[in-house]
Amino acid sequence: MKKIILLFLLATTCRTGFSQTKNSGYPINPVPFTSVQVTDKFWGQRLDASREVTIPLAFGKCEETGRYENFYKAAHPSPDYKVGGFSFDDTDVYKTIEGASYSMQTLPDKKLAQYIDSVLAIVAAAQEPDGYLYTARTMNPQHPHRRAGSERWEKEEEMSHELYNLGHLLEGAIAHYQATGKRNFLDIAIRYADCAERSIGDKPGQVARVPGHQIAEMGLAKLYVVTGDKKYLDLAKYLLDKRGYTSKKDANKPSDNLLFLATNGGYTVTKDAYSQAHKPIVEQDEAVGHAVRAAYMYSGIADVAALTGDTAYIRAIDRIWDNVVSKKLYITGGIGARHKGEAFGDNYELPNLTAYNETCAAIANVYWNYRLFLLHGDAKYFDVLERTLYNGLISGVSLDGGAFFYPNPLESDGKYKFNSEGTLVRQPWFGCACCPSNVSRFIPSLPGYVYAVNNDDVYVNLFIGNTADLTVNGKKVSLTQSTDYPWTGDIHIKVSPRSKQQFTLKVRVPGWVQGQPLPSDLYSYADGKKLNYTVTVNGAKVDNKLDKGYFAISRQWKKGDVVEVHFDMEPRVVKANDKVEADRGKIAIERGPLVYCAEWADNDFDIFAISLSRNPVLKADKTDLLGGVYQIKSDAQALSYDNNGRLQIKDVSLKLIPYYAWNHRGSGNMAVWLTQQFFIAKR
Ligand code: FUB
Ligand code: ZN
């Protein structure tokens, strides 16, 4: 019966995009991106760039770099094919179709839809009769990709990525189905999911495996929601429950940490911690290993917990979140400090020049925090999400949408981890192209993060100009937001229920307004300022206590009611916890949700040879620079040597730009953390 209801819901909603339903299992309902039309200047520019530049570029690169050809070859296998590239190159095609599907939902595009159909015809042709879809083996089963193993799934827990490919296939196919109502991609994905479901498990003839790279868990949970078929949820849960147990010796005992080594791009780590398989997940309490794998896994755990009610799962991701937010999160919201293993470092290990902070890890961090919000309804998760979104995530893509960073360091000498020209600049693509294709799929999905609904609670989580159609307690309510956020803290929300309706509007009051950069003691404001906020309804001031970070307005709403929110927005000085060695003696500057940096192009002195005053005087002004950023100026002292080698100290005006906008004017010095006390910095 439940299955029939789910299918009915789907059939009645998918043509126009899916509506808010309880399907996801989360106590709080997402408001899908299809219900929110962005009218915002800041994000409108990013969405246009995504549609006009990023997605066409990614499709073009899939074609140019032989990713489509791989599917063609798999459809016509040959022992002569030499299988090169990465064992997950197929996923770039799936991820780009996912992004294009979101984008087409906002702006229909017949030509693009036809193009995708033609790509899907090649993808379908590459699928083996039993549903297995992995070009890295199928094109030449005798000599598959060097990471693939001689048998299916044999190297899954190392680097074959067979289940990673499935996860992205599911994510892409479900988005495509929901956006277009067409089943051509979904059916391909279902066939591969069925193949995996038959092959993996503890029954005779099956193999016990967990994904070497997580994401299938999220995809399978979604497939359960879409189809109502519980076998997909069961497989997602199996892939989580077995993590930490699938040793070669005994699949029912926790594996030891020395099973075998995984190597990738020159680093060697124990396979178990690298892919979070060092312990059963319900015993994990620290974020370790590869950051993208980890945050995808935590997101998958949240999805499965929401659908099964598994509280041990939730306790595990809550513990790990505490660890990340209090010890392993960059001020930009980036995660994964180490290049080696693309991995989390030790507690408080947050170097700046060598920070890895993969763009994919920032995206994964958004997924994870969003899900924790849907579970717990606390604004603190959106504080982390917003910090990541406006800083360490969009720094990964140029303003024009055509070039990408893979790592997102907080400091640069213009050269570290340089390209063939010896400079550090965003690139239009990479051999391992996970980040560009992840950006392709993430940016167009952004409108889905603005609101959420739980019975008669309407959450306003992000401040982005938009018009939205929500369903609150079964009735239609329109919201119109206008704002110049993140540049100003004034938000105008028009509330229009069809007829008078009682509900609660919950406006998030960001941590940065309340004097806490993050919900932990990892960073703190060090300037003694106190920001205020006000909320009015139809011009009358409302005074309420915050509840889990939300300003709740309960009333009988009527058409055209207006809520005005004002957050003071001033440049702030931030210090890191003294345990973060890399930031000792240094300060960072923020304004609103944006983290700032000093870059060579704005300053005619060496930004690494300056000292900011004890109480720097900071001033923010709107400029025409870099798409119209607010620039911050600070008094500082620059050190240099005169012709006689004597140290000179000169008063200078240090200019700062938002971190996300750095490296648009060539590569050179950049720093988020700026020296304030030399003797401590050198300690
Ligand atoms: O392994 C697939 C992707 O490639 C990972 O998520 C990225 O970190 C990169 O290693
Ligand atoms: Zn990536």
Side-chain angles (χ1 to χ4, degrees):
M1 185 62 185
K2 197 171 168 195
K3 189 169 162 180
I4 294 170
I5 293 171
L6 280 167
L7 285 172
F8 172 75
L9 279 171
L10 202 77
T12 53
T13 59
C14 69
R15 275 261 160 222
T16 51
F18 58 122
S19 68
Q20 289 157 222
T21 68
K22 277 271 177 206
N23 293 3
S24 68
Y26 283 99
I28 298 177
N29 286 332
V31 170
F33 73 98
T34 44
S35 306
V36 183
Q37 301 295 321
V38 170
T39 54
D40 194 73
K41 201 162 161 237
F42 186 86
W43 286 107
Q45 187 274 327
R46 290 283 183 168
L47 288 165
D48 289 350
S50 169
R51 192 181 57 251
E52 289 162 12
V53 180
T54 310
I55 292 170
L57 176 134
F59 276 134
K61 290 289 180 187
C62 285
E63 199 165 334
E64 180 188 317
T65 58
R67 279 156 167 82
Y68 295 161
E69 202 182 340
N70 287 343
F71 288 99
Y72 178 83
K73 286 177 172 170
H76 307 89
S78 162
D80 298 335
Y81 290 146
K82 192 169 163 11
V83 191
F86 287 85
S87 53
F88 46 87
D89 281 349
D90 296 355
T91 63
D92 296 321
V93 176
Y94 307 152
K95 286 150 86 181
T96 310
I97 295 178
E98 181 177 340
S101 302
Y102 295 136
S103 188
M104 282 191 305
Q105 184 68 40
T106 319
L107 211 75
D109 183 336
K110 264 197 183 156
K111 246 174 112 183
L112 181 58
Q114 277 168 2
Y115 176 81
I116 291 172
D117 282 346
S118 68
V119 173
L120 289 176
I122 313 176
V123 172
Q127 189 158 37
E128 295 194 24
D130 68 348
Y132 186 71
L133 181 51
Y134 182 66
T135 64
R137 180 187 310 284
T138 306
M139 73 169 79
N140 183 355
Q142 308 311 316
H143 303 284
H145 191 279
R146 68 195 169 90
R147 303 268 198 222
S150 51
E151 299 288 328
R152 286 181 183 183
W153 321 113
E154 183 193 330
K155 300 269 184 193
E156 172 51 40
E157 296 191 3
E158 291 157 74
M159 297 299 275
S160 78
H161 287 79
E162 284 148 292
L163 289 171
Y164 174 79
N165 284 13
L166 171 66
H168 275 301
L169 174 64
L170 287 166
E171 297 261 311
I174 291 168
H176 178 260
Y177 173 60
Q178 286 166 335
T180 63
K182 290 199 273 196
R183 290 196 61 112
N184 49 346
F185 200 11
L186 185 66
D187 286 339
I188 297 171
I190 289 177
R191 280 198 290 275
Y192 190 21
D194 288 347
C195 168
E197 197 270 335
R198 284 191 304 272
S199 313
I200 292 171
D202 291 334
K203 295 194 198 113
Q206 293 184 315
V207 290
R209 292 281 186 279
V210 295
H213 192 314
Q214 300 87 330
I215 193 176
E217 304 83 348
M218 275 194 268
L220 287 163
K222 246 183 219 170
L223 188 60
Y224 162 64
V225 169
V226 165
T227 61
D229 193 335
K230 190 158 169 297
K231 72 180 180 192
Y232 302 121
L233 178 62
D234 292 343
L235 178 58
K237 187 158 163 46
Y238 176 91
L239 298 180
L240 292 169
D241 285 344
K242 280 283 160 178
R243 190 161 289 278
Y245 287 95
T246 52
S247 89
K248 296 279 182 217
K249 294 175 216 144
D250 184 345
N252 292 311
K253 282 205 187 120
S255 53
D256 61 54
N257 284 346
L258 298 170
L259 279 182
F260 51 96
L261 301 175
T263 55
N264 184 14
Y267 59 80
T268 305
V269 285
T270 61
K271 164 226 155 210
D272 289 358
Y274 174 67
S275 57
Q276 300 77 36
H278 55 303
K279 283 180 190 180
I281 57 168
V282 292
E283 291 170 23
Q284 296 191 22
D285 52 14
E286 182 177 351
V288 293
H290 186 270
V292 184
R293 282 168 168 80
Y296 281 176
M297 180 175 90
Y298 308 147
S299 303
I301 293 174
D303 286 346
V304 172
L307 290 161
T308 59
D310 191 324
T311 52
Y313 269 25
I314 299 175
R315 283 196 299 277
I317 46 175
D318 285 350
R319 283 194 303 270
I320 299 168
W321 185 84
D322 281 338
N323 169 251
V324 170
V325 168
S326 57
K327 298 180 178 74
K328 298 197 180 189
L329 188 66
Y330 279 95
I331 191 175
T332 53
I335 52 171
R338 293 184 187 167
H339 275 257
K340 197 171 169 187
E342 309 182 302
F344 283 103
D346 290 337
N347 288 336
Y348 301 108
E349 181 188 334
L350 296 165
N352 292 311
L353 180 69
T354 61
Y356 196 62
N357 285 341
E358 185 179 338
T359 302
C360 287
I363 292 173
N365 201 25
V366 165
Y367 291 157
W368 179 29
N369 278 281
Y370 179 57
R371 284 160 167 81
L372 286 171
F373 157 76
L374 294 175
L375 280 173
H376 298 303
D378 196 311
K380 67 184 180 182
Y381 303 108
F382 258 91
D383 287 344
V384 179
L385 190 158
E386 180 182 70
R387 180 170 288 276
T388 309
L389 179 65
Y390 280 90
N391 301 290
L393 195 160
I394 54 170
S395 61
V397 52
S398 59
L399 289 164
D400 66 3
F404 309 90
F405 271 145
Y406 194 130
N408 293 274
L410 278 77
E411 185 171 307
S412 176
D413 58 5
K415 296 194 189 76
Y416 181 74
K417 296 283 169 188
F418 49 79
N419 63 8
S420 51
E421 282 82 52
T423 54
L424 178 75
V425 285
R426 291 184 184 83
Q427 310 278 314
W429 196 248
F430 306 99
C432 168
C434 52
C435 298
S437 54
N438 236 355
V439 167
S440 300
R441 77 185 184 124
F442 177 78
I443 296 288
S445 74
L446 179 76
Y449 293 88
V450 180
Y451 301 108
V453 173
N454 182 16
N455 298 322
D456 53 12
D457 288 340
V458 176
Y459 292 88
V460 182
N461 281 319
L462 292 179
F463 307 109
I464 293 178
N466 71 83
T467 57
D469 294 313
L470 277 52
T471 308
V472 183
N473 265 341
K475 293 187 191 147
K476 298 275 169 226
V477 175
S478 299
L479 294 183
T480 308
Q481 235 195 92
S482 21
T483 179
D484 205 16
Y485 201 85
W487 308 120
T488 71
D490 294 304
I491 301 121
H492 177 103
I493 307 169
K494 197 162 115 194
V495 184
S496 291
R498 287 271 159 87
S499 54
K500 278 191 177 175
Q501 192 180 341
Q502 178 75 34
F503 60 88
T504 304
L505 195 75
K506 292 187 152 183
V507 180
R508 183 174 69 92
V509 178
W512 60 260
V513 182
Q514 298 180 59
Q516 207 184 15
L518 277 175
S520 72
D521 67 356
L522 190 52
Y523 303 104
S524 53
Y525 292 117
D527 51 18
K529 288 182 190 168
K530 190 174 171 342
L531 302 191
N532 286 315
Y533 64 90
T534 53
V535 179
T536 64
V537 178
N538 299 330
K541 193 160 180 277
V542 187
D543 277 319
N544 275 342
K545 280 217 174 90
L546 297 189
D547 178 18
K548 288 186 171 178
Y550 289 95
F551 189 98
I553 315 163
S554 297
R555 70 197 302 268
Q556 181 92 350
W557 296 93
K558 61 173 181 354
K559 214 180 204 133
D561 280 345
V562 170
V563 179
E564 301 271 5
V565 181
H566 168 82
F567 302 135
D568 287 349
M569 205 181 257
E570 286 185 36
R572 303 296 311 264
V573 175
V574 185
K575 278 199 169 145
N577 187 308
D578 202 43
K579 291 184 181 132
V580 183
E581 197 182 340
D583 301 339
R584 281 192 200 137
K586 300 190 177 193
I587 55 172
I589 309 295
E590 294 187 356
R591 182 172 180 272
L594 299 176
V595 174
Y596 275 68
C597 70
E599 196 182 22
W600 67 276
D602 304 303
N603 298 290
D604 58 4
F605 46 85
D606 181 356
I607 60 158
F608 293 129
I610 55 162
S611 176
L612 275 83
S613 326
R614 282 283 159 86
N615 297 304
V617 179
L618 304 171
K619 195 167 172 299
D621 284 306
K622 187 168 170 41
T623 68
D624 292 331
L625 265 181
L626 300 161
V629 303
Y630 273 58
Q631 189 179 55
I632 295 179
K633 288 191 189 128
S634 169
D635 57 322
Q637 289 78 53
L639 310 184
S640 60
Y641 289 102
D642 69 10
N643 293 340
N644 300 319
R646 285 167 55 90
L647 194 61
Q648 304 278 299
I649 301 181
K650 199 172 87 182
D651 283 325
V652 292
S653 170
L654 177 70
K655 298 191 184 90
L656 301 123
I657 56 161
Y659 168 74
Y660 74 74
W662 85 282
N663 205 295
H664 281 87
R665 297 166 293 179
S667 60
N669 292 352
M670 180 280 291
V672 168
W673 290 98
L674 303 159
T675 302
Q676 196 183 36
Q677 285 171 274
F678 273 107
F679 57 95
I680 290 183
K682 297 272 185 256
R683 195 167 64 183

